[in-house]
Each structure stands twice: as structure tokens, then as C-alpha cells.
Amino acid sequence: MSEKAEKFRLDKWLWQARFVKSRSLAAALVTGGHVRVNSDRASKASYGVQVGDVLTFPQGDRIRVVRILAPAKRRGPATEAQTLYDDMSPAPEPKAPKIAARDEGNARPTKRDRRQMDRLREKGPNDALE
């Protein structure tokens, strides 16, 4: 006698785990071919996933890799949603501070631009990433 693992809908789990704001956005993410389950592309929102599956999908400007730890019972608070998965994504790279680009016609920086430049000069090149 072998026990069958419980399967649940991929789009519903992504929504309940709070990776997307709505279930329709989760379905669009899956049907658009952007989600991989155990390195296989999922093409239907009703794709069956189970505990132990590894999902790979884009979120914002990074790629998320998560392992499903538990099925979702409801769309609860974020602290509850974080117990549903193990995040295996690499840490995002720190972003460099943005410096306002000046047009050729505007030779003088504004007061705000001047303060930003002064802050960057005080910190040094390696301190700007913190």
C-alpha cells in the first residue's frame, strides 16, 4: 500500500504563500510559462504540486527558488505564509546608490543634488554600498 501525496493547485499556492497579490496574477504567471516545477515548465494554473517540489519563478527583478514545505490552508498573514516554503534563492546583490544625472543645459546642481554628492564624498566608494 503506497500513500498518495496530497496535490494542490500551483496558482492557488503561489497566491496563498503571498508571492503574488491576486490569484489571477498567479494564474497569468503560470500560464505565461514563467514557473518551473522541479525544472519542468508548468503551463496550466491547475498544475498539481506537492510538498517537496521546488519552484523557480521571477519576482520583481530577481529569480525566486523555493521548496514547498506545507500545503496552504488559507491566505493568512505574511508570517504564516513564510512557514509554507524554504527560500533557496541567492541573496540579491546590493544596489549602487543613484546619483541624479544632470542635463548639459543645467550646469548648477540643485540643493538636493549637492547634499547627495556631499554624502557620497564623505562615505567613500566602498561605504556607499551599505
Side-chain angles (χ1 to χ4, degrees):
M1 290 206 283
S2 64
E3 291 183 26
K4 282 203 139 189
E6 179 186 356
K7 290 201 171 210
F8 35 92
R9 288 179 63 107
L10 176 58
D11 65 333
K12 193 171 181 181
W13 189 88
L14 286 169
W15 172 67
Q16 289 174 332
R18 294 189 165 267
F19 287 110
V20 290
K21 288 186 178 184
S22 69
R23 190 158 166 200
S24 59
L25 288 175
L29 183 69
V30 177
T31 56
H34 302 291
V35 180
R36 292 185 176 267
V37 180
N38 298 329
S39 73
D40 295 328
R41 188 173 299 222
S43 60
K44 292 185 177 181
S46 62
Y47 192 93
V49 292
Q50 60 190 358
V51 174
D53 285 347
V54 177
L55 307 178
T56 307
F57 57 94
Q59 186 179 34
D61 59 348
R62 59 188 283 211
I63 301 294
R64 299 294 300 260
V65 180
V66 297
R67 175 174 283 124
I68 299 175
L69 298 179
K73 304 289 187 234
R74 65 186 184 120
R75 182 174 163 92
T79 54
E80 182 179 316
Q82 289 171 349
T83 63
L84 300 176
Y85 60 91
D86 177 28
D87 193 359
M88 302 179 339
S89 305
E93 295 180 13
K95 294 182 180 178
K98 293 183 180 178
I99 300 176
R102 303 298 305 163
D103 292 334
E104 288 297 320
N106 296 337
R108 298 186 63 183
T110 63
K111 187 182 263 189
R112 181 173 179 257
D113 294 338
R114 187 64 157 170
R115 287 180 183 149
Q116 286 178 344
M117 289 188 289
D118 288 344
R119 265 188 250 123
L120 286 174
R121 283 189 193 119
E122 289 173 6
K123 286 186 176 182
N126 294 332
D127 296 336
L129 299 176
E130 293 178 359

